[in-house]
Amino acid sequence: MAVDYTTHDGVAVITLNNPPVNGLGLSTRAGIVEGIERAQDDPAIKAIVLTGAGNAFSGGADITEFNTPKATQEPTLATVIKTVESSAKPVVAAIHSVAMGGGLELALGAHYRIAAPGAQIALPEVKLGILPGAGGTQRLPRAIGLEAALNMIVSGAPVMSQVLAHSGLFDELEGELAEAALAFARKAGAKEGPHPKVRERKIEHPNAEGFIQFARNSVAVLAKNFPAPLKCIDAVEAGVKIGFDKGLAFERECFVALVQTPESRALRHAFFGERAASKIPDVPADTPVREIRQVAVIGAGTMGGGIAMNFINVGIPVTLLETKQEALDRGLATIRKNYEASVKKGKLKPEALEERMALVTPTLSYDDLKNADLIVEAVFEELGVKEQVFKRLDEVAKSGAILASNTSTLDVDKIAAFTKRPQDVVGMHFFSPANVMKLLEVVRGKQTAKDVLATVMKLAKKIRKTAVVSGVCDGFIGNRMIEQYIRQALFMLEEGALPAQVDRAIEKFGFAMGPFRMSDLAGNDIGWAIRKRRYHEYPEMHYSKIADRLCETGRFGQKTGGGWYDYKAGDRTAHPSKVVDDMIVAYSKETNTERRKISDEEIVERLVFALVNEGAKILEEGIASKASDIDMVYLTGYGFPLYRGGPMLYADTVGLYNVERAIRRYASRPNGDAWQLAPRIAELAAQGRGFNG
Ligand code: 3HC
Ligand code: NAI
């Protein structure tokens, strides 16, 4: 049973009991209505308390029911709230921990609300691409005022109950919630009805129309590509202009339309994808984890410093090891500079700077690593250097310490084999800047122990990363796929496009930065070095050599004042380069490639389907265990547009039948050998299915 019903001296307590967050799925909704009716029928009951068991009052509507028959099956949430609101006996919502979305809307339907301090209160629907669909846009402005409510609805951000103590939302804020709610209910039950309803309150504002227009203008700029935030404003405005009942009907209309949009589907996919990523099919949730109290980082370069900051930020002390004092000093200075920048921006309290710096212990000696529970290596990307480091770590690290490598291209199994404890070795592939980027690829070696994986996944959550497990392969999930994307971008230059056109097309699709602007930012020499190795390792693979030609002229990107684009000193704006464009045209001529007009649609298809095709192979090979893991890598590490949900969900939206046809078409054209259709795409397309079911 998803709802418990108990009585306490004239008060009925209806307790939502639907772990993990008391989601308002069908059985919970039915249970609440049943409870309210039972209480009406019992003459001994004078008042009702509505509360939640476990760690939430309620996390809101059950998102898994969206777009299924259960979502609209009676009693709907609207019916439940109406039942609560029209109860002749007063209903007191006793709120603790979390009251979000439909959970808060339910509480707003009660006659009285008591909250425990520390409860998170939110209408986060906008983050799922929808708006509050059970009266939130109508009742919250009546409860806490237009401006505060609109802020909460449009941002979706949680507000602590104590901050709302005097907002008009709560009748009382009480630490001893259960007892306080019973006492309050008894008093309320002794009073004559009718009991107050939020819907009957007025929205007071000196210039509601002006404020709403101001909000609309501000939101329009920020909400590009997401329809929900503006709809939130429309719905709140409706409540102000046409009254509660019509406003409620309008809100419902907007909800029904938004829940079917691809943007909402994408956001819900990302919500569940993030949570699913932390679950590894053959590593049970109750796998014991190792305790991580002390971390060491080897190498204080670009990555090492950022990696160290992740741990320091959550209070875990870090020992930072380098080979030379200068390198150590440089690394520490960069960490300090980053914290100073945060202080300047007001993101970090000045006194916290020294506290954080005090958590770093610099060293040149491996002896100082013997107490570390986790050691993350971030030295030069050369197998010989990794070998030296891991052999030394094997000698000094304590038994049970986790030995992680931040390698981006090397074989984690080979690195593990440098030690006598391959079960303790794992890849932790952070992205640059490591203290900022959300993504962490956790690379599972053949022998990586399950408890090592479980520990690293738990730790990732603590340092607020989205961790995705990848098997061992060249480039892991993200870089292996991006290689095919870049390969296509370069082929298209040969065939007739120019860098600015390619970037413009894919940026219009929603990528934060196109491949050429990105490459100029990262440094074209990095890709060059990787390609040189590739030519050697995969001599049969067909690559365009056009980027090598650019690098041979020393145009490494922003750092050299020119790459695919020209740059003015001290300015990151990319200006199309006549020299480079001429070089591209000359290259086509040299290679006897007839240049043609390439449409933006072709650019987007070739870039995105290159990701999808490689992603499908990664799934087939078991390098990623689910399609949503691949999407999470792309959403959190590669700037794929969130409103499209990642490459694999996007492919599902287009339809795999169409993806397959496009890939076959490109495979039959010049440079078509780069397209080897992933059998998984053909299989799923034949079954009329997508990567996500
Ligand atoms: N529906 C279905 N499942 C939900 C859910 C919901 N509303 N909220 C959380 N869950 C599930 C998660 O998927 C996860 O499942 P798993 O264990 O199988 O992975 C589990 O509950 C625990 O979630 P978290 O890992 O996120 O737990 P936390 O303790 O870190 O956070 C929370 C709890 C703050 C409630 C967070 O889960 C959250 O923000 N949930 C979403 C809240 C939300 O968006 N509510 C609005 C729903 S839409 C709505 O109400 C429409 C209405 O207006 C009509
Ligand atoms: P870097 O060159 O900036 O830093 C490497 C640091 O390691 C230098 O400070 C160097 O002095 C130190 N070092 C070298 N040998 C050492 C040894 N034997 N013992 C201790 N310290 C030693 O390199 P970067 O960019 O930080 O890369 C480090 C690792 O992270 C590489 O494996 C790289 O592939 C990986 N990586 C890099 C990313 C990037 O964007 N730069 C992204 C993800 C992973």
Side-chain angles (χ1 to χ4, degrees):
M1 189 62 177
V3 171
D4 299 329
Y5 183 95
T6 51
T7 55
H8 306 258
D9 269 343
V11 178
V13 178
I14 300 174
T15 308
L16 281 56
N17 193 355
N18 182 18
V21 300
N22 297 324
L24 295 161
L26 181 59
S27 59
T28 314
R29 301 195 304 264
I32 299 170
V33 171
E34 231 176 87
I36 298 280
E37 284 173 351
R38 191 166 156 190
Q40 307 301 313
D41 293 346
D42 183 347
I45 296 298
K46 305 290 177 217
I48 302 158
V49 169
L50 188 57
T51 192
N55 292 329
F57 172 76
S58 170
D62 183 342
I63 309 167
T64 58
E65 281 188 0
F66 283 9
N67 294 326
T68 71
K70 277 189 179 174
T72 46
Q73 202 171 317
E74 291 285 4
T76 61
L77 191 50
T79 303
V80 175
I81 294 171
K82 203 168 171 190
T83 309
V84 168
E85 198 169 49
S86 37
S87 160
K89 299 179 182 177
V91 181
V92 181
I95 298 166
H96 62 89
S97 314
V98 164
M100 289 191 179
L104 178 55
E105 290 174 301
L106 175 65
L108 282 163
H111 305 103
Y112 305 100
R113 281 156 297 282
I114 301 195
Q120 297 183 68
I121 311 296
L123 287 177
E125 286 86 344
V126 74
K127 294 185 183 170
L128 300 171
I130 52 175
L131 48 48
T137 64
Q138 306 305 304
R139 287 191 183 88
L140 194 63
R142 284 172 167 78
I144 66 171
L146 179 63
E147 296 198 14
L150 200 61
N151 280 338
M152 281 183 72
I153 295 168
V154 170
S155 71
V159 180
M160 286 295 177
S161 51
Q162 57 273 29
V163 175
L164 293 165
H166 306 292
S167 66
L169 183 59
F170 303 124
D171 296 279
E172 272 182 18
L173 207 64
E174 269 298 341
E176 298 299 323
L177 185 67
E179 279 170 33
L182 281 176
F184 191 99
R186 276 191 199 109
K187 266 196 249 158
K191 275 195 222 154
E192 266 309 291
H195 295 277
K197 294 180 180 148
V198 172
R199 59 180 288 150
E200 287 165 356
R201 295 193 205 170
K202 295 250 171 318
I203 302 176
E204 313 269 8
H205 194 281
N207 180 11
E209 205 168 316
F211 174 70
I212 286 170
Q213 194 48 44
F214 163 75
R216 186 171 278 128
N217 294 343
S218 326
V219 168
V221 181
L222 299 171
K224 208 171 79 174
N225 302 316
F226 291 96
L230 283 173
K231 285 286 171 200
C232 290
I233 299 182
D234 292 349
V236 171
E237 182 182 39
V240 174
K241 283 193 171 160
I242 57 178
F244 184 87
D245 287 318
K246 285 186 182 158
L248 200 63
F250 180 74
E251 174 198 87
R252 190 72 212 152
E253 245 174 65
C254 296
F255 179 88
V256 170
L258 283 172
V259 81
Q260 290 166 35
T261 56
E263 292 83 1
S264 174
R265 186 181 179 205
L267 289 166
R268 281 179 275 135
H269 176 70
F271 176 85
F272 286 116
E274 167 137 30
R275 283 152 185 82
S278 63
K279 299 183 179 73
I280 311 167
D282 64 333
V283 179
D286 58 358
T287 303
V289 293
R290 303 184 189 182
E291 211 164 325
I292 306 293
R293 280 194 232 102
Q294 288 251 20
V295 170
V297 175
I298 318 287
T302 309
M303 294 306 288
I307 293 171
M309 286 175 73
N310 286 305
F311 299 108
I312 300 168
N313 291 346
V314 295
I316 302 176
V318 175
T319 306
L320 190 57
L321 182 138
E322 265 287 351
T323 46
K324 294 206 178 74
Q325 189 62 43
E326 304 90 87
L328 205 47
D329 293 343
R330 223 176 14 248
L332 279 174
T334 309
I335 297 177
R336 178 175 285 277
K337 212 174 81 206
N338 285 338
Y339 282 132
E340 280 169 357
S342 301
V343 170
K344 255 194 203 140
K345 285 184 203 148
K347 288 185 180 166
L348 188 71
K349 291 202 182 109
E351 60 274 21
L353 189 150
E354 292 308 332
E355 279 165 28
R356 299 224 174 158
M357 289 309 294
L359 286 173
V360 201
T361 309
T363 185
L364 298 172
S365 164
Y366 274 84
D367 290 341
D368 291 336
L369 308 186
K370 55 182 187 294
N371 291 327
D373 303 298
L374 164 72
I375 304 177
V376 187
E377 165 277 313
V379 302
F380 299 139
E381 186 73 340
E382 284 168 34
L383 199 60
V385 185
K386 307 277 189 203
E387 178 174 3
Q388 274 175 19
V389 170
F390 274 82
K391 284 195 164 149
R392 195 74 186 91
L393 289 181
D394 202 16
E395 288 165 10
V396 298
K398 69 179 182 189
S399 157
I402 296 176
L403 310 181
S405 173
N406 182 49
T407 180
S408 38
T409 53
L410 300 173
D411 183 336
V412 171
D413 289 326
K414 278 191 190 155
I415 294 175
F418 297 140
T419 72
K420 290 184 218 71
R421 39 175 130 176
Q423 74 283 356
D424 294 337
V425 177
V426 66
M428 285 177 81
H429 185 213
F430 289 86
F431 287 70
S432 182
N435 53 316
V436 175
M437 294 293 288
K438 280 280 286 174
L439 178 60
L440 174 66
E441 279 182 326
V442 175
V443 186
R444 178 180 193 170
K446 276 199 193 73
Q447 298 190 55
T448 306
K450 290 185 180 178
D451 67 333
V452 167
L453 281 171
T455 305
V456 172
M457 297 309 275
K458 185 173 171 212
L459 185 63
K461 194 166 181 189
K462 183 163 183 183
I463 61 173
R464 293 186 277 275
K465 298 288 175 198
T466 300
V468 176
V469 175
S470 168
V472 174
C473 70
D474 214 326
F476 314 130
I477 297 173
N479 284 344
R480 175 169 157 182
M481 288 166 67
I482 209 75
E483 184 175 344
Q484 298 308 320
Y485 165 99
I486 289 169
R487 232 174 133 200
Q488 286 302 321
L490 296 175
F491 281 140
M492 284 191 276
L493 293 189
E494 265 183 46
E495 294 169 31
L498 291 173
Q501 187 203 352
V502 174
D503 283 349
R504 211 181 314 114
I506 199 71
E507 285 164 15
K508 213 162 126 211
F509 173 81
F511 266 87
M513 225 185 253
F516 297 109
R517 284 213 297 142
M518 178 52 98
S519 190
D520 274 358
L521 178 67
N524 294 318
D525 49 328
I526 294 178
W528 195 22
I530 295 174
R531 280 195 307 279
K532 281 184 196 158
R533 223 181 41 231
R534 287 276 186 281
Y535 300 154
H536 179 68
E537 286 169 359
Y538 304 100
E540 71 291 351
M541 194 113 125
H542 172 195
Y543 287 96
S544 167
K545 299 279 169 24
I546 200 161
D548 302 352
R549 193 60 69 80
L550 181 85
C551 290
E552 282 156 15
T553 66
R555 294 185 67 106
F556 292 160
Q558 288 188 17
K559 61 186 173 191
T560 58
W564 293 104
Y565 296 93
D566 291 335
Y567 297 90
K568 294 190 181 125
D571 183 1
R572 291 173 181 272
T573 316
H575 302 280
S577 166
K578 169 122 180 37
V579 181
V580 174
D581 293 355
D582 287 349
M583 182 207 84
I584 292 169
V585 173
Y587 184 88
S588 303
K589 203 164 177 191
E590 214 178 284
T591 52
N592 288 324
T593 313
E594 196 174 326
R595 292 182 69 79
R596 64 185 170 87
K597 182 169 171 15
I598 299 185
S599 69
D600 286 2
E601 189 193 355
E602 177 175 342
I603 292 171
V604 169
E605 275 195 355
R606 284 176 66 173
L607 295 182
V608 178
F609 293 172
L611 294 177
V612 172
N613 198 36
E614 199 61 28
K617 290 177 189 175
I618 281 171
L619 276 177
E620 261 161 22
E621 293 168 25
I623 297 294
S625 60
K626 43 199 171 315
S628 62
D629 281 0
I630 296 177
D631 286 336
M632 291 321 295
V633 166
Y634 267 76
L635 292 176
T636 56
Y638 290 82
F640 198 95
L642 175 60
Y643 65 95
R644 298 196 190 270
M648 309 313 269
L649 187 77
Y650 176 71
D652 285 356
T653 312
V654 173
L656 292 191
Y657 169 81
N658 296 315
V659 174
E660 179 184 351
R661 273 195 319 153
I663 292 179
R664 289 193 189 282
R665 195 167 65 242
Y666 293 125
S668 67
R669 294 201 190 157
N671 297 319
D673 56 333
W675 292 102
Q676 307 289 331
L677 178 72
R680 175 68 60 95
I681 293 180
E683 273 162 36
L684 291 172
Q687 296 163 17
R689 291 172 54 207
F691 291 115
N692 294 283

